[in-house]
Amino acid sequence: MSNTKVALKAAKAALDGHQYDIAAKEAQKVLDVDQNNYHANIFLGLAYDKQDKNDEAEQVYNFAAKIKPNDPLVWQGLITLYEKQAGKKIDQYGNAALHLAECLMAMDDKERCQTVVDKYVGFANQHGTRSQYKHALEMMLPTSSFYDYVEGRFPKPDYLYTKMVEITEAEEKERINKEIGERRTRLGAKIGQVTTEVKRKVLEGSNLEYLYGCIVDWTSDDDLRRFYEEKILQRAYDTLVVLPPKQKETKRIQVMKLAEGLVILKHPFVLAWMITLEWKDTEVIEAYDGGLLREYTELFPDDGLSKVLKAYLSSEISPFPQPTRQSTDDNEEDEMMRMTAEDRLLLMTEGVEESSRSVLSQRLMAEYYIFLDEYASAVDSAKKAREQIRIDTQVSGLGFQDNLDALNLILATALIHHQTPRNHPEARSLFEHILERKTVNTSALIGLGLILEEEDDYEGATKSLARALKQSTDVKVKAEYAWCKAMTGDYDTGLPELEACLPGLDKTDVKTKALKAQTLYRIGMCIWNLDASKGARKDRAGAYARFLTSLQANLNYAPSYTILGIYYADYAKDKKRSRKCFQKAFELSSSEVEAAERLARAFADQREWDLVEVVAQRVVDSGKVRPPPGSKRKGISWPFVALGVCQLNNQDYAKSIVSFQSALRISPDDYQSWVGLGEGYHNSGRYIAATKAFEQAQKLETITSGVQADDTWFSRYMLANVRRELGDFEDATQGYEDVLLIRPTELGVTIALLQTHVESAWRSIELGHFGQAADSAVKAAAVAGVVVKGRPDAFNLWKALGDACAIFSWMQAYLHWFPIHEVRSILEYEKTAEMFEQMSDIDKVGASALDELCLTKETPITLKQCVHAAILAHKRLIHTCVHDIHAQAVAWYNLGWTEYRAHSVLGKDSVSNLKNSGSVYLKASIRSFKRAIELEAGNSEFWNALAVVTTQLNPKVSQHAFVRSLHLNDKSARVWTNLGTLYLLQHDNQLANEAFTRAQSADPEYTHAWLGQGILALLVGEVKESRSLFEHAFEIADASTIVTKRLYASSTFDQLLAQSSSSGTADVLQPLFALHQLKSQITTDYVFEHLQALFCERIGANEEAIDSLSAVCARMEEEYERSESPLSLARFAQAKADLARAYLEAQDFDAAVENAETSLDLSADIASNSQAVNTRHRYRLSAHLTAGLAYHYTRSMDRAITMFRAALEETDGNPDVVCLLAQVLWAKGGTEERDVAREQLFDCVEKHPGHAGAILLLGVIALLDDDSDTAEAVTADLHGLRTRTDLDERYQMKIGGLLTALAISHPGEEVRESAITEEATTAVMLAPSQPHGWSQLAELTDDTFPTEMVLLTAMGSVPPKGILDAEALSKASAASSRPADAQRAIMMAPWVAAGWEGLL
């Protein structure tokens, strides 16, 4: 114990001497002995404190505090320690200060106690955070343990709480902003949702609302108290907004209680009043406290809701009584009473705009709009109020069902009248939804009844209104109920009930007058319908008087004007008054459909289509035309029909289609709507849809009683027009003829029939149906004979007649079909001298040309007569349209092309020539096109035509005209092609190629552009490319194009001549068909008729070839006799040579010899310096060979040998001729002849070592002579030949057969069989896709595989893939052992015995 005291004294002395290390050691010594020594801990803590060992000092002090917690010394030490550390230990400082203050309170030392607290609060304010400072202030609040002890020494609680509120508000604001900033950057975060969540988290954990309450409790300042009461309410409201729905109830009760308290105190805090007013759930405005509403207007005179309330409370519909006047408010009340309806509406509108989030203001505004009959605005206000209720429900958690029902009633009532009946389904749904919960809601029952009445469901309306009358005595409801009864047909009951309503309609306000006018009108209608006789309705004391009285009550009641209009129109026969009444009714209300229809019909009768469109469009916009879904009322289609007709007249076809479709949705069986729809489709180019529409209209003709027979012709006529546009000319013609049976005098239909025949003829020419084209042209002339008697000045008549005549120049084989007498009679009908004199001085085709249009037995119809008739028709066309510049320009244009056509087909027969190649027709054509351009210079087709006809006469003018045409329309493929042709004729191939390329880009399907490219390719030596271009042009061309057929046929023939192997039938058929068509179009084209005969020869059509060549020979003979030119003689000789070859193929050997010798005699006279000598040796060779073969077949061997020897001389030893000569010499049979044949063949092989024919003949001769040496040499040559790829299948088969025969001739059976098998397998190896090798192999083996391969390869070798004929294919099929293959063999070639044998 003594040591302890000594150590303590030493420690104390060291502390006093500032020897802190020694003091700490001495204190530690004591603590080593007695750890709980209070003073030693104090000394040690102080020593550590002086040595800045803060943590050790704090630890020691805390231990000492546990030993003596009520001793102030230790707490003073801790406070000193914490003060030295500034803001690091403020919270611990607060704890120490609290204990020290309690110790001092226990010691009854008030001054020091206050000093400790003040010092701590000041220190926290200086060095701590806002939260630490707020915590320090709590020590001064009444909630602290020593507040009562030092009361009066601290600041007032309301001041302290205010400080704490400021700190808390700042902290919360900072926290909210920080949290939102952090969370909004998260993936998928939405700013609204994030804000709500953060505020909910902060507000739920905050005591700010408590602090507001404390201020209210402790302050003595009423203004400050009210201020914080506002803050409490705002804080509670903000919390309520962010709470989830399930947690809102408790907070909502608090908010409403706080708001009611402020309202009771009449404190002017807007939120409290808004909560009280807006959250009141009531179906009627009367449930509000009128005084409370007026107090609101007084407290917030400039608020939007206040303005609405002021106007509403002073209006006629306000349910609240006007307040008694007080002297202080007299001026204001007088001002409100003097407010006009316009001022009131303006004030309410301004207030609603300022308080757009107020349900009450929107509701009052909607009610007032209903009162003013401004239903559109009422609908808008009610919908806005409903949307705001949804928002208020989310905020407060209240359902507001009564408010919602009230707004739905307002909305539904407005929808009844707004755009009726478009909105009736929505209004009906609202009423029925209310009645599900409130079955006796009068307003809903009345509204539902009005809707049913509008939908013509008068029985349902009667029931609904009867239920409403049980709760209402409204005279309007009684009147509606009585009217619905009357409309069910019970006029006897409805009339007195309506009359009983009149005494209750004596008021002078506007609405009562309107109801009285309506009731009087309905009384009049009951009287009108009770007795429908003409006399009763004409009685001016009856219904008429009620209608007039109705207008006296309300001059703007539209239905009364409508019925009066009907009265004047149908009974008083006063059209002027009736029209005025209808106009007045429609001006007042677009819902007066009957008045509108009568007006529209009157305007339509006067052709005032603009007025018809205005009337119809206004009716459509009224919403009356379409009944709502489920309504019994029928829709009204005539406004859409009227609109469609007007739009058709205005050529607005797309809109007309929409209008007629709308009409048909309402009235699907309306005949006229289908016709109009079809016409709209037709004019829009939608022909398939138009066809369906007209077909539907025709179906309705048989099932609809309202369609008159005389009215059906138009749909048939339009259907025929559609089919004509679709190219279905046969059905179109039949349609026009059917219409003419109904209306034979309808000239327009006859002209349409005429044009259809002409268009059908042109289309038939394009398709190559020339006989059908001629038939259509003849029919067109017959119809033109009918038209000319009815309207000789019709433009389309003469245009169609000219085309019908010109058509025969495109199919000259049918000239004998030309109706020359009918055409002449048409042209002579009402003719005058000047009709045909245009340019007659140039083309010599005038009135005198009519005399040429005659037919005799000696002179058949000529091409010249057809063309002249076409020219005369177009000249008369010019005469008929002399007063129409545009039509005249077109007429001159048509005449120009007809003159050019005459130049093309008759140019060489013209009276004079122009610049060596022109004709009078060409000159007339140029003049015609120039005249057309003078009349209409902006037409690109006119310039193109002028350029075409001047191409050869004046290339510069032609180029200028082409450029001008392209300037007007640079997308024309025809013009670009024509320009390219001009460049081609001028030998400018580069520009020509560019022009043709542009043409192909503009229209890839334009034939002549490809022809131009083909000619260019031919000029530069690209024969293969040109042939492919000609073929493509032919494939895409129509049958009317002549040059395409010529180029395609000639290029194909050149290709066939260039081929080393023979061509198949498929390669010849297409050009042959083209030449057949060409012959029908041009009967005098001898060159291509000759070419046609050569094609026929290749496919074995010998009779047709003989006929064609005989005709060519006859014409060539005529031409030679006329001209005696060497070229004509050469053509004649060549034709004779080809004819001889055709006779040889037909086995008419005598005729073949005769024509061959004629060709040889004719060709002998051709001079050596003539142009025709170039091809002379070819047809002379042909003639020699033909004659030689003919003599051979007639057994005139010597003559045959002579011909072949001559052929050899002509060809300088041609190996093919040598082979023919050798065969003939061998066939003669003499030893000398056969020796000569051998010598000729050996010489041929020596000169032409690879000639297959000579080698094959030598092999056959070797077999016949049993010459093994020659056979061995031939075998070696044949093995070399069979590997050549330039030999066709026939040679390959012959080589294989000969090698097999040579193998059979080998001595020794084993060697022979091996050689035969080797030859067969070699043939298969070299040509596995050919049947001859497999056939040989099949004969040598019993295996079925080679037999099947024979059939398989034979099927792949038929044309166009190969040259195998039907007999060979039949034999290949018969070789199979299957009966089915034998049947196929019989089907393919029934004359072959192998197929029949296969069935055995």
Side-chain angles (χ1 to χ4, degrees), residues 803-814:
D803 288 346
C805 296
I807 282 170
F808 285 93
S809 69
W810 294 90
M811 46 180 187
Q812 298 171 16
Y814 294 87

Side-chain angles (χ1 to χ4, degrees), residues 166-306:
E166 292 175 356
I167 295 171
T168 305
E169 287 178 344
E171 287 179 340
E172 287 187 1
K173 183 177 180 180
E174 182 178 341
R175 183 183 174 189
I176 289 172
N177 292 336
K178 181 180 179 182
E179 288 283 337
I180 291 175
E182 291 177 355
R183 295 192 184 189
R184 69 183 299 178
T185 58
R186 295 176 183 175
L187 187 63
K190 297 180 181 179
I191 184 63
Q193 182 180 358
V194 167
T195 303
T196 301
E197 292 175 354
V198 170
K199 285 186 175 180
R200 182 189 305 141
K201 179 181 178 181
V202 173
L203 295 179
E204 285 180 343
S206 173
N207 67 338
L208 191 57
E209 191 174 333
Y210 165 77
L211 295 177
Y212 290 153
C214 292
I215 295 175
V216 171
D217 293 339
W218 285 97
T219 185
S220 58
D221 187 347
D222 290 340
D223 293 337
L224 185 62
R225 182 180 294 110
R226 297 291 175 262
F227 175 75
Y228 280 100
E229 285 176 348
E230 293 177 5
K231 279 188 170 279
I232 293 173
L233 176 58
Q234 186 67 56
R235 180 73 174 189
Y237 179 80
D238 292 341
T239 306
L240 177 65
V241 169
V242 297
L243 284 176
K246 294 181 180 180
Q247 301 177 14
K248 285 182 179 290
E249 184 176 1
T250 303
K251 182 60 69 174
R252 181 181 63 249
I253 293 173
Q254 177 192 356
V255 169
M256 295 181 69
K257 184 177 180 181
L258 291 171
E260 289 173 0
L262 290 175
V263 170
I264 291 172
L265 295 174
K266 298 183 181 181
H267 180 65
F269 183 48
V270 175
L271 179 60
W273 287 85
M274 293 298 293
I275 290 173
T276 303
L277 296 178
E278 298 290 345
W279 288 10
K280 185 175 182 62
D281 189 17
T282 175
E283 190 172 347
V284 293
I285 297 297
E286 291 90 328
Y288 280 93
D289 184 351
L292 191 66
L293 297 178
R294 286 191 169 85
E295 288 174 358
Y296 182 84
T297 62
E298 293 172 0
L299 291 173
F300 311 100
D302 296 327
D303 183 71
L305 176 60
S306 179

Side-chain angles (χ1 to χ4, degrees), residues 269-458:
F269 183 48
V270 175
L271 179 60
W273 287 85
M274 293 298 293
I275 290 173
T276 303
L277 296 178
E278 298 290 345
W279 288 10
K280 185 175 182 62
D281 189 17
T282 175
E283 190 172 347
V284 293
I285 297 297
E286 291 90 328
Y288 280 93
D289 184 351
L292 191 66
L293 297 178
R294 286 191 169 85
E295 288 174 358
Y296 182 84
T297 62
E298 293 172 0
L299 291 173
F300 311 100
D302 296 327
D303 183 71
L305 176 60
S306 179
K307 294 177 181 179
V308 174
L309 287 172
K310 286 179 184 179
Y312 180 80
L313 293 173
S314 65
S315 68
E316 305 90 326
I317 62 173
S318 173
F320 306 107
Q322 296 297 327
T324 57
R325 295 190 177 187
Q326 298 178 5
S327 59
T328 57
D329 297 332
D330 283 350
N331 293 334
E332 184 178 353
E333 291 178 6
D334 288 342
E335 181 181 352
M336 295 299 297
M337 295 301 294
R338 290 193 302 269
M339 185 181 295
T340 63
E342 291 78 7
D343 295 337
R344 188 176 295 113
L345 179 61
L346 183 63
L347 183 61
M348 292 185 74
T349 304
E350 182 182 348
V352 167
E353 291 177 355
E354 295 176 2
S355 59
S356 58
R357 298 184 60 184
S358 170
V359 175
L360 181 59
S361 66
Q362 296 284 3
R363 178 176 175 179
L364 296 177
M365 188 76 253
E367 286 192 3
Y368 195 66
Y369 278 137
I370 291 286
F371 171 72
L372 297 177
D373 295 337
E374 295 290 338
Y375 300 111
S377 300
V379 168
D380 184 57
S381 296
K383 287 183 176 180
K384 289 179 180 178
R386 291 203 312 172
E387 177 62 24
Q388 188 58 43
I389 281 183
R390 184 187 64 80
I391 297 173
D392 289 350
T393 299
Q394 293 178 351
V395 170
S396 65
L398 294 171
F400 297 112
Q401 188 60 56
D402 288 339
N403 283 350
L404 192 59
D405 287 345
L407 287 170
N408 284 336
L409 284 173
I410 294 172
L411 176 60
T413 303
L415 289 173
I416 292 175
H417 305 282
H418 176 53
Q419 295 183 348
T420 181
R422 180 183 303 172
N423 297 312
H424 282 185
E426 183 180 356
R428 183 170 182 172
S429 175
L430 292 172
F431 285 135
E432 290 175 347
H433 181 67
I434 293 171
L435 290 173
E436 287 176 0
R437 292 177 288 97
K438 302 175 182 179
T439 57
V440 293
N441 188 290
T442 305
S443 299
L445 290 170
I446 294 172
L448 183 60
L450 293 176
I451 292 175
L452 294 173
E453 177 185 343
E454 185 67 28
E455 294 177 357
D456 293 348
D457 185 2
Y458 296 107

Side-chain angles (χ1 to χ4, degrees), residues 445-446 449 453 461-469 477 480-481 484:
L445 290 170
I446 294 172
E453 177 185 343
T462 303
K463 293 178 182 178
S464 182
L465 292 172
R467 291 172 60 192
L469 282 174
V477 181
E480 294 293 344
Y481 174 72
C484 289

